[in-house]
C-alpha cells in the first residue's frame, strides 16, 4: 500500500518568487490551554509572530549554560565533528548543531517546563526537537545571518508540511543594539514568500555559513519591511525570544568587542512530522533536520 503524497501548500524554489497567504494557524492550541504563556501574550504572539521574555532562565542558570557552551566550542573533538559549522573567514566555530544530543546540560534545558511547556501551548500538541544548536558570535567580525524565513528552508529542504513549528532563542550573553542581535519583521509570518532558484545538492554545507538558496529578493524584503517594520531584540543574558517558523528575520555582523551567544531550539508538532523535501534533491542530515519524532518528555 502506497502513501498518498502530502499536498504542497507552500511552493518555493521555482523560476519566480511568489508570495502567498499563510494557510495555517499561528497558535494551534485552544485559548484556554493551560501553560506558562498568559492569554494576552498568546494573542500578541498570534498578531506579531513573536514573544519576548525578559527572563526565561535565571542568572545562575545562565552561567551553567554559558560554561557548557564554552566547553563545547573549545573541545577539539567537537570542532572536528560535522555538527560544528565554522566562520568562512576566521575559521572559528559559528554554530554547533544537535546540542541536546551532544550535551546533557542542554538536553535538560530542552525538557525544562518553562521551555517545552511554551512550545506545547503554542503548537497545541506534544512536540519534538526538529533542530537545536548553539550560536557563537564573538566580537570583532562574526558574520550575521541574512534575511530569511526558517519555514521556507525547513519546508523546501527538510520536508515539514505545515507551519506548526516554533523556535526559541535564549540569550547567554547580553544582546545590545549593536552586537548583531536578532531582527524580525512583525506580522511577516502571515505571508509565505516562495523564493526563486533551484536548491543545489548538499546546499546545507554552504547555506549554514552564508545563505544563498532560499534568500528573498531585495524587492520582496523592501516590501515586507515597508509594510511591517523591523523589530530589534535586546536584553540581558537569560532573556528569550520565541518566534513563529515563518517570521522574516535575520541578524547583522558583530563588529563590536561584545560577544553575542545564544542557544536556539526548534520545536515541531508531532502532528507535523517531516516527509520528503518539497524542493530539494535530497534530505539534509538528521543533525540539522531531525527524523526522530520522539516527543520531548
Amino acid at each position: 500500500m502506497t502513501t498518498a503524497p502530502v499536498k504542497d501548500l507552500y511552493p518555493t524554489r521555482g523560476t519566480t518568487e511568489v508570495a502567498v497567504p499563510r494557510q495555517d494557524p499561528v497558535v494551534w492550541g485552544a485559548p484556554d490551554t493551560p501553560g506558562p504563556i498568559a492569554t494576552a501574550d498568546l494573542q500578541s504572539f498570534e498578531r506579531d509572530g513573536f514573544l519576548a521574555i525578559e527572563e526565561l532562565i535565571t542568572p545562575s542558570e545562565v552561567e551553567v549554560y554559558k560554561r557548557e557552551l564554552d566547553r563545547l566550542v573549545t573541545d577539539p573533538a567537537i570542532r572536528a565533528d560535522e555538527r560544528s559549522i565554522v566562520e568562512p573567514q576566521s575559521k572559528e566555530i559559528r554554530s554547533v548543531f544537535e546540542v541536546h544530543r551532544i550535551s546533557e546540560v542542554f538536553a535538560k534545558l530542552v525538557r525544562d517546563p518553562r521551555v517545552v511547556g511554551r512550545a506545547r501551548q503554542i503548537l497545541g500538541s506534544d512536540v519534538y526537537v526538529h533542530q537545536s544548536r548553539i550560536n557563537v558570535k564573538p566580537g570583532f567580525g562574526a558574520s550575521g545571518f541574512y534575511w530569511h524565513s526558517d519555514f521556507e528552508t525547513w519546508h523546501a529542504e527538510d520536508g515539514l508540511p505545515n507551519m506548526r513549528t516554533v523556535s526559541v532563542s535564549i540569550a547567554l550573553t547580553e544582546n545590545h543594539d549593536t552586537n548583531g542581535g536578532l531582527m524580525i519583521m512583525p506580522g511577516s509570518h502571515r505571508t509565505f514568500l516562495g523564493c526563486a532558484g533551484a536548491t543545489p545538492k548538499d546546499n546545507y554545507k554552504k547555506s549554514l555559513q552564508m545563505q544563498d538558496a532560499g534568500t528573498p529578493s531585495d524587492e520582496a524584503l523592501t516590501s515586507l519591511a515597508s509594510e511591517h517594520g523591523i523589530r530589534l531584540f535586546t536584553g540581558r543574558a537569560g532573556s528569550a525570544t520565541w518566534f513563529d517558523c515563518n517570521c522574516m528575520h535575520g541578524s547583522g555582523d558583530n563588529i563590536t568587542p561584545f560577544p553575542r551567544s545564544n542557544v536556539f531550539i526548534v520545536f515541531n508538532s508531532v502532528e507535523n512530522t517531516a516527509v520528503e523535501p518539497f524542493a530539494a534533491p535530497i534530505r539534509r542530515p538528521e543533525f540539522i533536520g531531525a527524523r526522530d519524532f520522539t516527543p520531548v518528555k
Side-chain angles (χ1 to χ4, degrees):
M1 182 178 177
T2 59
T3 303
V6 177
K7 184 178 180 180
D8 185 358
L9 297 176
Y10 302 104
T12 189
R13 312 282 173 101
T15 56
T16 59
E17 189 175 60
V18 181
V20 298
R22 183 188 185 107
Q23 305 295 305
D24 294 306
V26 178
V27 175
W28 292 72
D32 57 351
T33 299
I37 307 177
T39 300
D41 287 337
L42 270 179
Q43 292 170 342
S44 175
F45 181 89
E46 184 167 21
R47 180 189 69 239
D48 297 330
F50 60 79
L51 177 64
I53 298 173
E54 290 186 6
E55 185 180 285
L56 182 64
I57 57 175
T58 65
S60 61
E61 290 172 314
V62 168
E63 290 307 310
V64 172
Y65 296 120
K66 183 66 168 59
R67 283 196 300 269
E68 182 68 353
L69 179 148
D70 292 341
R71 182 187 73 81
L72 292 173
V73 300
T74 56
D75 184 340
I78 297 297
R79 182 183 178 84
D81 193 295
E82 66 173 344
R83 291 173 286 191
S84 292
I85 310 301
V86 299
E87 287 280 355
Q89 301 300 324
S90 69
K91 304 303 180 184
E92 295 298 318
I93 287 182
R94 173 189 179 100
S95 301
V96 179
F97 281 78
E98 218 171 39
V99 289
H100 71 296
R101 296 193 182 277
I102 294 174
S103 163
E104 179 55 30
V105 173
F106 285 113
K108 288 180 180 177
L109 179 61
V110 165
R111 299 191 297 266
D112 190 309
R114 294 169 296 180
V115 177
V116 70
R118 283 178 165 86
R120 293 188 187 116
Q121 196 175 357
I122 291 168
L123 301 181
S125 69
D126 277 335
V127 297
Y128 71 93
V129 176
H130 176 70
Q131 185 186 103
S132 72
R133 67 179 188 259
I134 47 174
N135 293 323
V136 184
K137 262 194 179 181
F140 301 118
S143 55
F145 292 85
Y146 197 69
W147 290 105
H148 64 286
S149 154
D150 286 330
F151 179 76
E152 193 278 337
T153 298
W154 298 338
H155 183 70
E157 301 185 39
D158 296 337
L160 294 192
N162 296 96
M163 295 179 182
R164 199 170 179 179
T165 314
V166 67
S167 302
V168 60
S169 175
I170 305 172
L172 299 182
T173 54
E174 185 163 358
N175 284 255
H176 303 283
D177 58 3
T178 52
N179 65 341
L182 174 68
M183 297 180 288
I184 294 178
M185 298 183 187
S188 60
H189 62 305
R190 295 197 173 277
T191 301
F192 176 76
L193 190 64
C195 297
T199 309
K201 186 178 180 181
D202 290 342
N203 178 56
Y204 76 94
K205 293 180 180 179
K206 179 180 179 183
S207 67
L208 296 178
Q209 291 182 326
M210 187 171 293
Q211 189 88 359
D212 188 8
T215 301
S217 68
D218 291 352
E219 292 78 12
L221 290 171
T222 300
S223 176
L224 285 171
S226 298
E227 180 179 357
H228 300 293
I230 296 172
R231 166 80 182 270
L232 170 65
F233 293 88
T234 59
R236 298 175 299 174
S239 62
T241 306
W242 289 86
F243 59 102
D244 179 82
C245 58
N246 191 46
C247 283
M248 190 62 67
H249 67 287
S251 63
D253 296 350
N254 182 13
I255 60 172
T256 75
F258 309 114
R260 176 181 173 263
S261 299
N262 69 315
V263 54
F264 182 76
I265 307 165
V266 180
F267 293 100
N268 188 37
S269 169
V270 296
E271 298 173 12
N272 187 45
T273 53
V275 295
E276 290 304 308
F278 287 90
I282 59 172
R283 302 173 181 175
R284 298 196 297 177
E286 292 194 27
F287 69 83
I288 300 174
R291 294 280 160 171
D292 180 350
F293 310 133
T294 305
V296 176
K297 296 297 184 182

PDB file of all heavy atoms in Angstrom, residues 223-236:
ATOM      1  N   SER A 223       9.467  45.449   0.379  1.00  0.00           N
ATOM      2  CA  SER A 223       8.014  45.492   0.513  1.00  0.00           C
ATOM      3  C   SER A 223       7.571  45.033   1.902  1.00  0.00           C
ATOM      4  O   SER A 223       6.736  45.674   2.549  1.00  0.00           O
ATOM      5  CB  SER A 223       7.369  44.609  -0.566  1.00  0.00           C
ATOM      6  OG  SER A 223       5.973  44.561  -0.413  1.00  0.00           O
ATOM      7  N   LEU A 224       8.145  43.916   2.385  1.00  0.00           N
ATOM      8  CA  LEU A 224       7.780  43.398   3.710  1.00  0.00           C
ATOM      9  C   LEU A 224       8.167  44.383   4.812  1.00  0.00           C
ATOM     10  O   LEU A 224       7.394  44.627   5.740  1.00  0.00           O
ATOM     11  CB  LEU A 224       8.450  42.050   3.952  1.00  0.00           C
ATOM     12  CG  LEU A 224       7.863  40.842   3.224  1.00  0.00           C
ATOM     13  CD1 LEU A 224       8.772  39.626   3.381  1.00  0.00           C
ATOM     14  CD2 LEU A 224       6.466  40.515   3.752  1.00  0.00           C
ATOM     15  N   ALA A 225       9.367  44.936   4.723  1.00  0.00           N
ATOM     16  CA  ALA A 225       9.823  45.874   5.748  1.00  0.00           C
ATOM     17  C   ALA A 225       8.995  47.154   5.734  1.00  0.00           C
ATOM     18  O   ALA A 225       8.711  47.737   6.792  1.00  0.00           O
ATOM     19  CB  ALA A 225      11.299  46.189   5.546  1.00  0.00           C
ATOM     20  N   SER A 226       8.583  47.599   4.545  1.00  0.00           N
ATOM     21  CA  SER A 226       7.767  48.798   4.452  1.00  0.00           C
ATOM     22  C   SER A 226       6.394  48.577   5.081  1.00  0.00           C
ATOM     23  O   SER A 226       5.822  49.490   5.696  1.00  0.00           O
ATOM     24  CB  SER A 226       7.611  49.213   2.979  1.00  0.00           C
ATOM     25  OG  SER A 226       8.858  49.534   2.405  1.00  0.00           O
ATOM     26  N   GLU A 227       5.876  47.357   4.924  1.00  0.00           N
ATOM     27  CA  GLU A 227       4.556  47.046   5.481  1.00  0.00           C
ATOM     28  C   GLU A 227       4.606  46.771   6.970  1.00  0.00           C
ATOM     29  O   GLU A 227       3.714  47.196   7.722  1.00  0.00           O
ATOM     30  CB  GLU A 227       3.973  45.825   4.762  1.00  0.00           C
ATOM     31  CG  GLU A 227       2.597  45.431   5.265  1.00  0.00           C
ATOM     32  CD  GLU A 227       2.007  44.240   4.537  1.00  0.00           C
ATOM     33  OE1 GLU A 227       2.647  43.729   3.583  1.00  0.00           O
ATOM     34  OE2 GLU A 227       0.881  43.808   4.915  1.00  0.00           O
ATOM     35  N   HIS A 228       5.640  46.059   7.415  1.00  0.00           N
ATOM     36  CA  HIS A 228       5.652  45.547   8.791  1.00  0.00           C
ATOM     37  C   HIS A 228       6.656  46.225   9.716  1.00  0.00           C
ATOM     38  O   HIS A 228       6.536  46.118  10.938  1.00  0.00           O
ATOM     39  CB  HIS A 228       5.953  44.048   8.779  1.00  0.00           C
ATOM     40  CG  HIS A 228       4.958  43.231   8.023  1.00  0.00           C
ATOM     41  ND1 HIS A 228       3.652  43.083   8.434  1.00  0.00           N
ATOM     42  CD2 HIS A 228       5.074  42.516   6.872  1.00  0.00           C
ATOM     43  CE1 HIS A 228       2.999  42.308   7.577  1.00  0.00           C
ATOM     44  NE2 HIS A 228       3.838  41.959   6.613  1.00  0.00           N
ATOM     45  N   GLY A 229       7.652  46.902   9.168  1.00  0.00           N
ATOM     46  CA  GLY A 229       8.698  47.441  10.012  1.00  0.00           C
ATOM     47  C   GLY A 229       9.662  46.353  10.468  1.00  0.00           C
ATOM     48  O   GLY A 229       9.529  45.180  10.103  1.00  0.00           O
ATOM     49  N   ILE A 230      10.643  46.735  11.271  1.00  0.00           N
ATOM     50  CA  ILE A 230      11.655  45.810  11.767  1.00  0.00           C
ATOM     51  C   ILE A 230      11.821  46.023  13.268  1.00  0.00           C
ATOM     52  O   ILE A 230      11.968  47.154  13.730  1.00  0.00           O
ATOM     53  CB  ILE A 230      13.012  46.021  11.064  1.00  0.00           C
ATOM     54  CG1 ILE A 230      12.895  45.708   9.567  1.00  0.00           C
ATOM     55  CG2 ILE A 230      14.097  45.158  11.703  1.00  0.00           C
ATOM     56  CD1 ILE A 230      14.134  46.063   8.762  1.00  0.00           C
ATOM     57  N   ARG A 231      11.793  44.934  14.019  1.00  0.00           N
ATOM     58  CA  ARG A 231      11.999  44.986  15.468  1.00  0.00           C
ATOM     59  C   ARG A 231      13.352  44.349  15.796  1.00  0.00           C
ATOM     60  O   ARG A 231      13.648  43.239  15.354  1.00  0.00           O
ATOM     61  CB  ARG A 231      10.860  44.234  16.167  1.00  0.00           C
ATOM     62  CG  ARG A 231      11.095  43.907  17.626  1.00  0.00           C
ATOM     63  CD  ARG A 231      10.833  45.065  18.564  1.00  0.00           C
ATOM     64  NE  ARG A 231      11.129  44.673  19.947  1.00  0.00           N
ATOM     65  CZ  ARG A 231      10.234  44.125  20.782  1.00  0.00           C
ATOM     66  NH1 ARG A 231       8.992  43.913  20.365  1.00  0.00           N
ATOM     67  NH2 ARG A 231      10.576  43.787  22.019  1.00  0.00           N
ATOM     68  N   LEU A 232      14.174  45.062  16.554  1.00  0.00           N
ATOM     69  CA  LEU A 232      15.459  44.557  17.013  1.00  0.00           C
ATOM     70  C   LEU A 232      15.328  44.150  18.474  1.00  0.00           C
ATOM     71  O   LEU A 232      14.812  44.914  19.299  1.00  0.00           O
ATOM     72  CB  LEU A 232      16.542  45.633  16.868  1.00  0.00           C
ATOM     73  CG  LEU A 232      17.892  45.347  17.519  1.00  0.00           C
ATOM     74  CD1 LEU A 232      18.579  44.160  16.848  1.00  0.00           C
ATOM     75  CD2 LEU A 232      18.786  46.582  17.478  1.00  0.00           C
ATOM     76  N   PHE A 233      15.794  42.939  18.800  1.00  0.00           N
ATOM     77  CA  PHE A 233      15.638  42.418  20.146  1.00  0.00           C
ATOM     78  C   PHE A 233      16.918  42.612  20.953  1.00  0.00           C
ATOM     79  O   PHE A 233      17.989  42.154  20.555  1.00  0.00           O
ATOM     80  CB  PHE A 233      15.249  40.938  20.102  1.00  0.00           C
ATOM     81  CG  PHE A 233      13.886  40.729  19.535  1.00  0.00           C
ATOM     82  CD1 PHE A 233      13.714  40.583  18.166  1.00  0.00           C
ATOM     83  CD2 PHE A 233      12.765  40.740  20.343  1.00  0.00           C
ATOM     84  CE1 PHE A 233      12.453  40.423  17.625  1.00  0.00           C
ATOM     85  CE2 PHE A 233      11.493  40.583  19.813  1.00  0.00           C
ATOM     86  CZ  PHE A 233      11.340  40.421  18.443  1.00  0.00           C
ATOM     87  N   THR A 234      16.774  43.274  22.078  1.00  0.00           N
ATOM     88  CA  THR A 234      17.861  43.446  23.026  1.00  0.00           C
ATOM     89  C   THR A 234      17.426  42.841  24.360  1.00  0.00           C
ATOM     90  O   THR A 234      16.239  42.592  24.582  1.00  0.00           O
ATOM     91  CB  THR A 234      18.218  44.928  23.215  1.00  0.00           C
ATOM     92  OG1 THR A 234      17.053  45.626  23.684  1.00  0.00           O
ATOM     93  CG2 THR A 234      18.670  45.548  21.897  1.00  0.00           C
ATOM     94  N   GLY A 235      18.386  42.619  25.231  1.00  0.00           N
ATOM     95  CA  GLY A 235      18.030  42.077  26.532  1.00  0.00           C
ATOM     96  C   GLY A 235      19.226  41.465  27.234  1.00  0.00           C
ATOM     97  O   GLY A 235      20.272  41.216  26.633  1.00  0.00           O
ATOM     98  N   ARG A 236      19.038  41.237  28.517  1.00  0.00           N
ATOM     99  CA  ARG A 236      20.103  40.644  29.323  1.00  0.00           C
ATOM    100  C   ARG A 236      20.257  39.166  29.005  1.00  0.00           C
ATOM    101  O   ARG A 236      19.365  38.540  28.426  1.00  0.00           O
ATOM    102  CB  ARG A 236      19.778  40.810  30.805  1.00  0.00           C
ATOM    103  CG  ARG A 236      19.680  42.255  31.282  1.00  0.00           C
ATOM    104  CD  ARG A 236      19.232  42.313  32.727  1.00  0.00           C
ATOM    105  NE  ARG A 236      17.906  41.698  32.888  1.00  0.00           N
ATOM    106  CZ  ARG A 236      17.318  41.515  34.066  1.00  0.00           C
ATOM    107  NH1 ARG A 236      17.932  41.870  35.180  1.00  0.00           N
ATOM    108  NH2 ARG A 236      16.117  40.974  34.127  1.00  0.00           N
TER     109      ARG A 236
END
